[in-house]
Amino acid sequence: MMRDVAIIGVSQTKFGELWDSSFRDLVAEAGIKAIVDSNIAGEDIEAMYVGNMSSGLFVQQEHIAALISDHTGLNPIPCTRVEAACASGGLALRQGIMAVASGFHDIVISAGVEKMTDVVDATPAIATASDQEWEAQQGAIFPSLYAMIAKRHMYEYGTTREQLAQFSVVNHKNAKYNPNAQFSFETTVDKVINSTMVADPLTLLDCSPVSDGAAAVVLCPAEDAKKYTDTPIYVKASAQASGTMTLHDRKDITTIEATKVASRKAYDMAGVTVKDIDASEVHDCFSINGLLAVEDLGFVEKGKGGIALEEGQTERDGDFPINPSGGLKARGHPLGATGIAQAAEIVWQLRGDCGKRQIDGAEIGMTHNVGGTGGTCAVHIFGRDRN
Amino acid sequence: MMRDVAIIGVSQTKFGELWDSSFRDLVAEAGIKAIVDSNIAGEDIEAMYVGNMSSGLFVQQEHIAALISDHTGLNPIPCTRVEAACASGGLALRQGIMAVASGFHDIVISAGVEKMTDVVDATPAIATASDQEWEAQQGAIFPSLYAMIAKRHMYEYGTTREQLAQFSVVNHKNAKYNPNAQFSFETTVDKVINSTMVADPLTLLDCSPVSDGAAAVVLCPAEDAKKYTDTPIYVKASAQASGTMTLHDRKDITTIEATKVASRKAYDMAGVTVKDIDASEVHDCFSINGLLAVEDLGFVEKGKGGIALEEGQTERDGDFPINPSGGLKARGHPLGATGIAQAAEIVWQLRGDCGKRQIDGAEIGMTHNVGGTGGTCAVHIFGRDRN
């Protein structure tokens, strides 16, 4: 980076089935909260990025960055939508970082939003994140694609149904203490396994929900950050990679190559190893993808993710705490908002603002945001210290 | 900018109703041609941006940057889609420039693509570039919105129907010499005025067509450009602005504020005035928007655009040549590709590669790309000389 970047404010709306909030309302709420949190005035913002997967199919509205700019009084600043399916938020964050790093802008807001409950069935829209011609049109929608991955992981590595379910159990345990989470109930391995079958072996409680919501972060040059806040959080790495859109093009469907590539780039850029990461938010659209993240980010060797979950290593007091927010499963997964909400959670964790879901002494945190079954992956690393 | 940026290669596919080319084919063709033009190998590319308005509604496919990366063999580099309605291409170019300027990447390809003819009626998808709740759902689709602007411009400034038609006449005259243009026929003021009525006063020949097509540019740090080509073209400015989504929110619908703001920023950044611009590609989705551009970019005073057109000042040998490519009207307007195709044309003009449509001695060129009725505007300035 030509210039270091810091986060001076973050926000997240409540995630859930928000029947009383429109697309516009959600992003305005997130934006205003982030502005308040960063001690800036709205007119200080020089550019906005917004991550959103499919406002076209969900609310029949494209050109949403301009709409948001107009609706929130940001005109005439540059406002840009970024799309990469469920990784849209992570990429909007990355573009905001580049806008500051490049010297084009000083204060930039990166937001994410998705309004998914205005359609009768969200599945056809979500399926456009896979390859229509090779997957979606053949009926291979995401639960079935991830179910195939899970089956293969069980076959190759002896991963058990109980270990998979454990990912959801830990998420729900954390979400209980997150006031913005969609679900505040705890669950058990038995309850997960015995919930409604979706695509064998994945049941309802292995799957992230359909959600409405928005989130935002405010970025500025690292050297200016202390003007706005006593606790800036520094961007130590922003990395992104692409992988095959379809599962049949992969040598091994139990590994998401884009996660491996993006995370290794991020560790290099930040000058850290995976052992230095105190808190992570990973992309558990399905429990199996959370488990793959544990392996592909390098927390454990390939095949050992199930055992790590069983041993509680991803819990808040474990060796590598994951998804203190509740993750996609329990915080909710408004597609374009997720990557930004992950960053907001890590900022809160590094500031020490998380109350009962706080990971004690977290200094370095990571977000991992995946599009589709790994066509896109964005990994960001943040730190309390600038260097 | 922290680091200057140059264009070392460009490309455009044929624009038109390309029944035999899929979305994937188009972008692959543009990408390969741009790589060849820039004397790089595919593996030199470190990141890709793609401008696209609505692959979700046109071809039921989101997550297209990953799809393109996969389909063209670019994996695992970061590939990002940018959307801002008909300004998507201009913004993809701008993000590519930032990616180089920020030091994140050296060689970056910015592409644009739209496949519009796979739907029976493109209008509902295009209408999502306006504000659904205040315009599209009330029946105010783009031809009618721009027709209102035209009527008001005629009322305020005495602009004539003939002057408006002249914009299309000049475009078609230029497109005749552009082998990639959708239309190669010339037309006359009489023929424009007497073509099928679309929305009074705009007739069919005032309106840009529904098109398929793609375009690409290859960017690198300015200091490296001569390694690849003897005729690099330098990015002198990249500016973007947002304006109101709806016409009813404007004090004056005959001015596109986002054009004014973005162009003034661009002139400042490039250290030029409008008089220094030798060749421009402007966003004439309708003839009236071309006329507004002549005024709002500052070539003439507000209200004098019609007279300037009548006097031939926008012709290739006029005072300020506009749309040597044929513009959106005659080159065609595959929405997300347009902003990139404009940049490709200016690069060809500045290189002196345009044959019969060449603007003699062009040293500095400009592109002007608008989303909706001016919710977004991107202006870029390019030069043969680095300084």
Side-chain angles (χ1 to χ4, degrees), chain B residues 84-93 239-241 258-259 262 281-284 289 297 328 333 335-342 366-372 374 376-380:
Chain B
C86 311
S88 299
L91 270 54
L93 173 59
Q240 177 188 342
T259 295
E281 288 281 314
V282 310
H283 196 92
D284 61 306
N289 205 22
L297 291 168
L328 282 58
H333 182 27
L335 312 170
T338 285
I340 301 289
Q342 292 178 321
M366 174 164 69
T367 59
H368 163 257
N369 191 200
V370 172
T376 302
C377 180
V379 173
H380 286 85

Side-chain angles (χ1 to χ4, degrees), chain A residues 221-280:
Chain A
E223 66 263 30
D224 297 340
K226 291 258 169 134
K227 284 189 215 165
Y228 303 101
T229 174
D230 294 336
T231 53
I233 300 300
Y234 298 94
V235 177
K236 299 181 85 72
S238 173
Q240 176 188 340
S242 304
T244 75
M245 280 288 274
T246 55
L247 295 190
H248 68 253
D249 276 334
R250 298 183 190 175
K251 282 182 206 147
D252 169 13
I253 66 169
T254 65
T255 293
I256 293 188
E257 277 297 323
T259 294
K260 289 183 74 168
V261 173
S263 59
R264 296 325 181 266
K265 271 198 223 170
Y267 300 147
D268 281 354
M269 196 171 171
V272 300
T273 73
V274 68
K275 292 189 198 311
D276 296 315
I277 308 292
D278 301 314
S280 303

Side-chain angles (χ1 to χ4, degrees), chain A residues 54 61-62 77 130 132 242, chain B residues 54 60-62 77 130 242:
Chain A
S54 194
Q61 179 72 63
E62 307 283 11
I77 68 166
S130 73
Q132 272 289 350
S242 304
Chain B
S54 194
Q60 294 286 310
Q61 179 71 63
E62 307 283 12
I77 68 165
S130 74
S242 304

Side-chain angles (χ1 to χ4, degrees), chain B residues 10-219:
Chain B
V10 296
S11 72
Q12 189 205 308
T13 69
K14 172 87 178 164
F15 282 2
E17 296 187 10
L18 307 176
W19 304 103
D20 295 331
S21 298
S22 73
F23 178 86
R24 297 162 203 235
D25 296 338
L26 290 169
V27 74
E29 181 189 334
I32 290 164
K33 284 180 174 169
I35 287 169
V36 170
D37 190 51
S38 51
N39 299 308
I40 58 169
E43 56 264 36
D44 294 331
I45 299 172
E46 296 181 12
M48 186 196 71
Y49 289 86
V50 59
N52 173 270
M53 173 177 160
S54 194
S55 57
L57 294 167
F58 285 123
V59 294
Q60 294 286 310
Q61 179 71 63
E62 307 283 12
H63 204 191
I64 57 163
L67 183 125
I68 292 166
S69 173
D70 194 12
H71 188 64
T72 58
L74 288 174
N75 287 348
I77 68 165
C79 294
T80 303
R81 173 190 175 197
V82 176
E83 187 268 322
C86 311
S88 299
L91 270 54
L93 173 59
R94 192 160 187 267
Q95 295 312 310
I97 292 166
M98 281 189 189
V100 177
S102 64
F104 267 85
H105 301 292
D106 285 336
I107 297 190
V108 172
I109 189 161
S110 282
V113 61
E114 208 83 43
K115 177 71 187 174
M116 299 175 71
T117 61
D118 280 0
V119 289
V120 175
D121 178 6
T123 302
I126 299 169
T128 64
S130 74
D131 188 317
Q132 271 291 351
E133 297 180 17
W134 289 95
E135 291 183 332
Q137 287 176 0
Q138 322 308 323
I141 58 171
F142 283 101
S144 49
L145 292 166
Y146 276 107
M148 285 193 277
I149 295 174
K151 282 271 191 191
R152 187 72 196 177
H153 202 279
M154 293 163 121
Y155 174 84
E156 290 274 352
Y157 302 111
T159 302
T160 66
R161 181 67 190 89
E162 287 74 16
Q163 289 167 348
L164 270 183
Q166 183 64 16
F167 204 93
S168 297
V169 171
V170 176
N171 273 335
H172 276 268
K173 208 173 187 177
N174 290 333
K176 186 176 170 184
Y177 301 113
N178 182 351
N180 293 320
Q182 183 158 359
F183 301 122
S184 56
F185 62 88
E186 289 199 54
T187 189
T188 64
V189 166
D190 269 2
K191 281 184 186 165
V192 173
I193 294 175
N194 293 307
S195 63
T196 308
M197 178 56 68
V198 174
D200 184 28
L202 304 176
T203 61
L204 187 66
L205 290 176
D206 288 290
C207 306
S208 58
V210 168
S211 315
D212 304 323
V217 306
V218 178
L219 304 160

Side-chain angles (χ1 to χ4, degrees), chain A residues 307-370:
Chain A
I307 291 164
L309 293 176
E310 193 177 311
E311 290 175 346
Q313 292 182 12
T314 68
E315 300 208 40
R316 289 198 306 279
D317 59 357
D319 279 357
F320 42 85
I322 282 178
N323 290 2
S325 72
L328 282 57
K329 171 65 199 81
R331 179 188 52 213
H333 182 28
L335 313 171
T338 284
I340 302 289
Q342 291 178 322
E345 176 69 13
I346 292 298
V347 166
W348 284 319
Q349 289 287 345
L350 298 186
R351 285 181 186 167
D353 282 350
C354 287
K356 289 191 175 177
R357 69 178 196 281
Q358 180 66 43
I359 296 163
D360 288 337
E363 295 278 336
I364 296 178
M366 174 164 68
T367 59
H368 163 257
N369 192 198
V370 172

